[in-house]
Amino acid sequence: MPELPEVENVALALRECLVGRRLTGMDVRFGGVLEPSAEAVEKALVGLVLVKVLRQGKYLLLEFGEGDECREAGAGYTGIRGKDVLAHSVTIERGCRRAVRLHLRMTGQIFVDPAYIPDRHTHLVFDFDGLPVYYRDIRKFGRLALVAADADGAFAVAPPHVGPDMLEIGFAAWRGRVAARRAPIKAALLDQGVAAGIGNIYADEALFRARVHPLTPAAALADPDLRRIFNAARAVMRLAIRHGGTTYLNFVDFRGQPGNFRRKLRVYQRDGEPCRDCRETLARLMVAGRSSHFCPRCQPAPGGRKARRPTTTRLRTPRGRP
DNA sequence: AAGATTACCTGAAGGC
DNA sequence: TGCCTTCAGGTAATCT
């Protein structure tokens, strides 16, 4: 499932391959992924040049403009892979600007790969001046939505209730947003209004690395605990970006290559297997409606002393892995 | 009023 | 073999 690192890799790919190119056509095979309608999106975007790709949490904003009155932007921005990803970018001085907000939700995928063969889950085919770009989404949860400019003519990357990106926010600001929460820290990490980008995989990985039990109330955590969680969440996501993201079930990159961060996972979907640090059997329980994977020894239950009651810690045998 | 639950979808996997 | 159930989880809407 795409979380911050996977979405960041999509952003890098779109900047590398598509910024500066004109959208010359669109084949809508399933219009349900487009908002407010397939017709509106097609009418708004076709003929314009992709000028900017921004990310906030799991949201991507694709900004389009007219091809005339362009100038090279450059600006010396160096992508995470060390390539100057804005080398081909252009900035529109004035004229028409439009933007769409993309969220991949659970199973959305973007392919910029001439060898890709569309299947029945491929809902959109973009023609970027001869370069085909495919949008595929097995479960049809993802959305590509036209967004209106605000009063200043700018486009918000994410909806207003979404908090700052987890890789952008500072510790003090983040602490200010979680410290008063009585909800389990796992729920606070998943709350996109607190900070955006963390999903179930990286929340579990961050809590394991910080040695904090997922059910611990956020408000019960001392400053050093919060600091460890904050640092662990950012570190694990930065590492995942460098490894091309996590492939679980079906995340692959824009060329169809699976990310290779999965083998680095310490707890996610490893319940029933031994902890890599202490050999204790990893456990699983439900927090905030989602399965949470943790080590009962490395991450002791809140309130201390006893291990969690068997009724709340459900062990399960490993399921088949793809 | 924050926290919990459900709807939205499809495919994989397990049980029988 | 094949039908049925459960599970996966991001977000919005609904419930408590």
Side-chain angles (χ1 to χ4, degrees):
Chain A
M1 339 320 162
E3 301 181 26
L4 187 154
E6 291 74 34
V7 178
E8 175 66 11
N9 280 320
V10 172
L12 293 171
L14 295 180
R15 289 184 194 124
E16 274 188 36
C17 304
L18 298 183
V19 165
R21 281 184 173 264
R22 188 178 304 276
L23 179 65
T24 48
M26 238 178 106
D27 179 14
V28 180
R29 298 156 59 119
F30 174 70
V33 302
L34 297 173
E35 290 179 356
S37 71
E39 296 72 24
V41 173
E42 204 169 343
K43 188 163 187 265
L45 300 187
V46 171
L48 297 180
V49 174
L50 179 64
V51 295
K52 200 187 284 182
V53 177
L54 299 173
R55 183 190 61 75
Q56 179 183 340
K58 302 164 197 169
Y59 291 88
L60 284 181
L61 186 84
L62 313 189
E63 211 170 302
F64 290 79
E66 291 173 5
D68 54 350
E69 301 185 274
C70 294
R71 63 175 171 79
E72 290 294 321
Y77 172 79
T78 302
I80 200 144
R81 289 171 180 150
K83 293 186 66 172
D84 186 1
V85 296
L86 285 183
H88 312 292
S89 78
V90 289
T91 298
I92 310 296
E93 293 294 335
R94 65 169 83 96
C96 171
R97 301 206 99 177
R98 300 216 174 93
V100 280
R101 180 178 291 152
L102 172 65
H103 198 301
L104 301 171
R105 296 285 182 99
M106 307 290 297
T107 53
Q109 297 170 297
I110 299 274
F111 295 104
V112 188
D113 178 7
Y116 176 74
I117 298 167
D119 61 5
R120 69 193 192 91
H121 301 299
T122 306
H123 307 312
L124 305 171
V125 186
F126 300 91
D127 181 359
F128 276 91
D129 203 15
L131 178 66
V133 177
Y134 303 92
Y135 176 74
R136 178 175 189 262
D137 188 356
I138 293 177
R139 294 170 70 176
K140 298 178 177 171
F141 284 0
R143 288 292 180 270
L144 191 66
L146 215 49
V147 292
D150 61 25
D152 303 325
F155 299 97
V157 179
H161 60 270
V162 173
D165 188 86
M166 190 60 191
L167 292 185
E168 304 288 331
I169 193 173
F171 173 67
W174 179 78
R175 179 182 53 192
R177 288 165 166 268
V178 294
R181 296 274 188 137
R182 277 171 300 184
I185 182 63
K186 171 76 183 278
L189 283 174
L190 292 175
D191 187 340
Q192 302 298 297
V194 171
I198 307 178
N200 206 36
I201 296 174
Y202 297 106
D204 282 1
E205 292 299 313
L207 289 175
F208 173 77
R209 283 160 166 81
R211 299 293 190 255
V212 173
H213 194 284
L215 279 177
T216 314
L221 288 163
D223 235 49
D225 300 320
L226 289 171
R227 175 70 81 171
R228 283 203 316 281
I229 295 166
F230 179 78
N231 288 341
R234 289 159 64 100
V236 71
M237 290 197 291
R238 285 210 187 91
L239 191 62
I241 291 170
R242 290 202 295 276
H243 285 265
T246 300
T247 298
Y248 203 85
L249 299 187
N250 50 32
F251 179 79
V252 293
D253 76 3
F254 64 103
R255 293 191 183 89
Q257 299 300 309
N260 62 3
F261 190 70
R262 206 184 125 193
R263 59 179 179 213
K264 302 255 192 242
L265 297 179
R266 308 270 182 86
V267 288
Y268 182 76
Q269 285 289 355
R270 292 194 65 244
D271 46 300
E273 298 177 38
C275 173
R276 295 219 164 119
D277 288 357
C278 76
R279 313 315 292 171
E280 173 74 274
T281 301
L282 297 178
R284 173 181 128 128
L285 57 81
M286 291 299 275
V287 183
R290 293 187 189 84
S291 56
S292 298
H293 314 79
F294 69 103
C295 172
R297 187 181 295 169
C298 296
Q299 300 162 266
R305 34 190 214 258
K306 271 188 74 174
R308 183 125 301 293
R309 297 195 310 272
T311 50
T312 51
T313 301
R314 185 155 63 96
L315 295 178
R316 55 198 283 279
T317 55
R319 303 173 64 193
R321 307 289 193 260

